[in-house]
Amino acid sequence: METIDCFGDICPIPIIKIERKLKSINPGDEFMIVTDHSCTLESIKDKYADKVTRIEEVMNGVWEVTFKK
């Protein structure tokens, strides 16, 4: 699975990366982002609830979020 590194990126950069990726993949495809900003996580939950399949805090303050188009 492709992973997009959003480590250290502040909003709206991760959202822009997610939008670009969603436009470039086919239905059923998955990808993951890694973020260390809780505001990004909240934006993802609000905007992409229908596309997020997994959110895991892999260490304190670092999340992996899996999307499926």
Side-chain angles (χ1 to χ4, degrees), residues 15 18-19 22 44-52 67:
I15 301 302
I18 292 165
E19 284 293 323
L22 285 170
I44 288 169
K45 288 178 183 178
D46 290 341
K47 188 170 174 101
Y48 303 106
D50 61 328
K51 293 183 176 24
V52 172
F67 292 80

Side-chain angles (χ1 to χ4, degrees), residues 10-43:
I10 57 172
C11 287
I13 300 303
I15 301 302
I16 292 168
K17 289 180 178 181
I18 292 165
E19 284 293 323
R20 286 181 181 161
K21 187 62 182 174
L22 285 170
K23 287 179 183 177
S24 72
I25 63 174
N26 296 317
D29 289 349
E30 293 183 315
F31 66 96
M32 176 190 303
I33 69 147
V34 179
T35 184
D36 60 342
H37 285 274
S38 60
C39 64
T40 298
L41 187 63
E42 292 307 313
S43 294

Side-chain angles (χ1 to χ4, degrees), residues 2-16:
E2 183 177 350
T3 301
I4 298 172
D5 182 3
C6 294
F7 204 75
D9 292 344
I10 57 172
C11 287
I13 300 303
I15 301 302
I16 292 168

